[in-house]
Amino acid sequence: MFRVGVIGIAAGLLWALPGAAAVQGDLRPVLRATLAAYAPAAEAAAASIAERQRQSLLGFYDARGFAPIWLADNAPAIRVGRLIELLKSADRHGLSALDYNVAEIEQLLHAADAQTLARLEFALSRAALRYAADLLGARVAAIELPADVRIVPRPLDAERILRELARSDDPAGPLEALAPADPAYAQLRDWLAQYRAIKARGGWRNIPSGATLDPGASDPRVPALRRRLAITDGAPTEPADADAGEIFDIELVAALMRFQARHGLAVDGRLGRRTLAALNRSVDARIVQIVANLDRLRARPAAEATFIEVNVPGFSLRAVEAGETRLEMPVVVGREARATPIFSSRVTEVIFNPSWTVPVKLVREDLLPRLRANPQALVDLGFRFYRGSGDERVEVDPRKVDWRKVSPRAVPYWVRQDPGPKNALGQVRLTLPNIYDVFLHDTPDRHYFARAERALSSGCVRLERPIDLAEWVLRNTPGWTREAIEAADADAVTRNVQVRRPIPLHFVYFTAFVQDGELHLREDIYGVDARFVAGLERRPIADLRLPREGAAPPATLAP
């Protein structure tokens, strides 16, 4: 008869396991049978992950003769309490204690029979594994993303984690070490806590709609705007002039411009439609947005010392060397219908004065309507049209083709644009191997960079300062000084320069991030945050179902 109970003392911080010495010898066969009776969750999306967890648990415990790690006679009793405490505080990471069956574990703590103790042992290990997986970004696996958005969790070595937990006096050590070490993660967690505190104080109220509000104007909505900006952007709670309560004064304009800068809006100090919509986004929506981005940060592999990162919804690029940002610039990314893919590659080549072979999709959808209207306009832009390839290639005069008879489903020509100032790629292209036919390039359409919202391209990324990026990429490639780069850019000769040390390039999707200590929030231009929310709603709380009391294990796994 077992007289083993787990009793919480001092708010769950101290725990005792009386009689644990009697457990180990008798509990092993029960542990074996209990684990064999576990079954993957029925939900198809979770079944494969759950089965891998089950196999990891089975392999780990089998290798140690099914000796327990939480209820063993030599296990520090406080570890169980520390694990439960850790799981209960999972919201610090934007995670949920509900995902780890903490309530069920607490119901098992006062167990006095072998079968219930075995269920407790495996419930603890299973919860620890799921928490470990979530700290490695496992929740992104629940999101149904387009094929060109590659966000996958960091790998979990479940048996290694279990071994570390078995050796550790405090499970917080090996588990919390799995969270990203990147300061960006800790900073975003801090902002999550701040926004939760704002919610606890009541959040903010919507500002009524109305005509665009210009600096210096008088409007009855100004007090509501002041209250809203006082919560997040340092606006004074009262106007400098007590008699000017409805005046959109200089201090309030400054707070609104700060808000606009943090939200990627046009920083004009005017309360227009886009700014009002951002101000009225609820604190709950902002918390969910931060949580979604924490999940993507957890899934991101540790960054190399030197890399280029394009944050697609942030319309920005940064080049990092030795952990320090050396170069930043605005970029133009793909519009929603032609989204810039989220993936990683390497910059291997810089091309000066590139030609452009137009993708077939763009020939069908973009060029064909223009050819039907005015083929001469494309000739003037340097586009050439060909049939065949190699030695059989024949150039075709587009002005002599009846484009109305050409079906978009079967355009018999391929198209190339000559190098030059009118080329859509500008005068610099950075090449990266990928299946999406995406690259970084210059653009003759410089006016786009003055816009706050820059999801405008057909998928490739347009650079505001391509010469600066080319110089940084080629800094270790002999012969390519700034002067040489500017000379190559200025002439009409196409030059392909191989990068001596190819540089990692990551396209990422962060709509919440910290910059210079300030929380920045961006629009969910491709709906990835929305998919995250939908994915979590479908995610089952338990990856593995606990066996029913008294359930017999499968015969093939019986002891």
Side-chain angles (χ1 to χ4, degrees):
M1 175 70 69
F2 293 96
R3 297 185 62 257
V4 180
V6 183
I7 305 171
I9 303 174
L13 296 181
L14 297 175
W15 297 75
L17 293 171
V23 171
Q24 185 167 342
D26 298 322
L27 198 57
R28 296 186 186 202
V30 186
L31 287 175
R32 179 192 294 271
T34 301
L35 180 57
Y38 273 59
E43 293 82 356
S48 61
I49 297 174
E51 178 59 21
R52 287 197 298 273
Q53 285 189 357
R54 192 183 80 87
Q55 292 296 333
S56 295
L57 284 167
L58 183 60
F60 169 75
Y61 278 99
D62 184 60
R64 55 186 285 116
F66 287 87
I69 63 173
W70 303 102
L71 306 180
D73 57 350
N74 61 345
I78 198 171
R79 288 197 308 155
V80 174
R82 286 290 291 125
L83 177 61
I84 293 174
E85 176 186 322
L86 195 65
L87 299 177
K88 282 185 170 181
S89 64
D91 61 347
R92 295 175 301 112
H93 291 284
L95 301 171
S96 172
L98 292 175
D99 284 343
Y100 312 113
N101 292 328
V102 175
E104 180 183 35
I105 289 171
E106 289 183 320
Q107 290 177 357
L108 298 173
L109 289 179
H110 302 287
D113 63 275
Q115 187 176 57
T116 307
L117 284 170
R119 296 175 70 225
L120 173 61
E121 170 75 20
F122 285 123
L124 291 165
S125 291
R126 183 193 60 184
L129 272 188
R130 178 153 187 174
Y131 183 66
D134 285 349
L135 287 177
L136 293 168
R139 297 205 306 183
V140 301
I143 307 172
E144 294 181 4
L145 293 172
D148 57 358
V149 177
R150 293 184 52 79
I151 304 174
V152 296
R154 289 180 287 151
L156 170 67
D157 186 340
E159 293 190 39
R160 179 183 65 81
I161 292 297
L162 289 168
R163 289 194 298 270
E164 290 182 3
L165 288 170
R167 292 193 297 264
S168 175
D169 289 342
D170 185 349
L175 289 175
E176 291 297 304
L178 299 174
D182 187 343
Y185 181 74
Q187 292 168 355
L188 195 57
R189 275 181 51 192
D190 290 343
W191 278 102
L192 173 63
Q194 291 188 48
Y195 269 60
R196 282 176 167 162
I198 290 172
K199 177 182 178 180
R201 294 192 294 268
W204 52 74
R205 293 185 177 181
N206 282 359
I207 300 166
S209 59
T212 296
L213 182 60
D214 293 314
S218 177
D219 192 286
R221 296 177 297 161
V222 166
L225 176 62
R226 188 181 303 279
R227 288 191 296 270
R228 170 65 183 85
L229 291 174
I231 294 172
T232 58
D233 290 271
T237 55
E238 297 294 336
D241 183 350
D243 295 328
E246 294 189 353
I247 301 298
F248 190 17
D249 60 31
I250 188 170
E251 291 179 323
L252 191 54
V253 170
L256 183 64
M257 293 175 72
R258 180 187 177 203
F259 177 90
Q260 289 172 328
R262 291 195 307 108
H263 290 75
L265 300 163
V267 185
D268 57 11
R270 305 171 75 229
L271 180 60
R273 179 176 56 84
R274 287 179 179 268
T275 298
L276 181 64
L279 284 163
N280 286 344
R281 191 78 57 84
S282 72
V283 66
D284 286 311
R286 293 306 188 189
I287 288 170
V288 168
Q289 183 176 359
I290 294 170
V291 167
N293 282 268
L294 284 170
D295 266 293
R296 292 196 287 274
L297 276 172
R298 284 191 288 269
R300 182 168 67 171
E304 304 86 349
T306 299
F307 63 93
I308 299 169
E309 180 181 272
V310 175
N311 184 15
V312 174
F315 311 125
S316 63
L317 175 148
R318 66 185 183 116
V320 176
E321 183 176 24
E324 298 291 331
T325 299
R326 306 296 186 186
L327 180 66
E328 293 180 274
M329 71 181 69
V331 297
V332 173
V333 302
R335 54 190 183 271
E336 185 176 7
R338 296 179 182 174
T340 297
I342 306 302
F343 71 107
S344 294
S345 184
R346 290 178 177 268
V347 177
T348 58
E349 180 185 48
V350 178
I351 306 175
F352 295 100
N353 298 297
S355 62
W356 179 39
T357 300
V358 185
V360 173
K361 178 179 180 179
L362 302 191
V363 173
R364 292 198 308 260
E365 297 180 4
D366 294 355
L367 295 192
L368 188 55
R370 296 169 66 184
L371 286 163
R372 288 171 174 169
N374 183 9
Q376 182 63 48
L378 293 180
V379 172
D380 294 342
L381 290 172
F383 285 95
R384 295 177 179 271
F385 297 76
Y386 300 92
R387 279 185 178 274
S389 60
D391 294 339
E392 298 180 358
R393 185 182 71 180
V394 176
E395 185 170 358
V396 176
D397 186 341
R399 294 164 296 190
K400 298 180 179 180
V401 176
D402 186 351
W403 293 102
R404 293 170 299 179
K405 295 181 178 180
V406 175
S407 170
R409 293 188 296 272
V411 178
Y413 309 102
W414 59 274
V415 185
R416 187 184 69 188
Q417 189 179 23
D418 289 338
K422 296 180 181 180
N423 187 286
L425 307 188
Q427 294 178 260
V428 179
R429 163 181 163 163
L430 282 75
T431 301
L432 44 140
N434 67 92
I435 63 173
Y436 307 107
D437 198 20
V438 165
F439 40 85
L440 313 182
H441 64 87
D442 184 15
T443 175
D445 298 317
R446 311 303 301 171
H447 60 283
Y448 285 151
F449 295 106
R451 298 176 58 166
E453 199 280 330
R454 295 189 294 276
L456 303 165
S457 81
S458 291
C460 288
V461 173
R462 304 175 188 177
L463 306 168
E464 184 196 43
R465 292 153 48 206
I467 296 299
D468 290 349
L469 185 58
E471 179 186 15
W472 187 82
V473 166
L474 295 175
R475 69 198 183 284
N476 295 316
T477 301
W480 287 98
T481 62
R482 177 76 182 203
E483 293 74 17
I485 289 171
E486 289 177 345
D489 179 65
D491 65 28
V493 178
T494 299
R495 290 181 171 85
N496 296 58
V497 182
Q498 302 303 309
V499 180
R500 183 182 181 185
R501 298 174 187 168
I503 298 172
L505 170 62
H506 306 292
F507 294 88
V508 299
Y509 194 96
F510 293 117
T511 62
F513 53 92
V514 179
Q515 184 173 303
D516 298 326
E518 296 283 353
L519 176 65
H520 283 249
L521 299 165
R522 297 294 185 266
E523 288 300 308
D524 183 20
I525 59 173
Y526 298 159
V528 173
D529 288 348
R531 288 172 179 263
F532 169 85
V533 174
L536 285 192
E537 289 175 349
R538 291 191 299 269
R539 186 179 192 234
I541 289 177
D543 274 347
L544 292 173
R545 295 195 303 272
L546 285 171
R548 300 186 309 275
E549 290 193 34
T556 55
L557 293 177

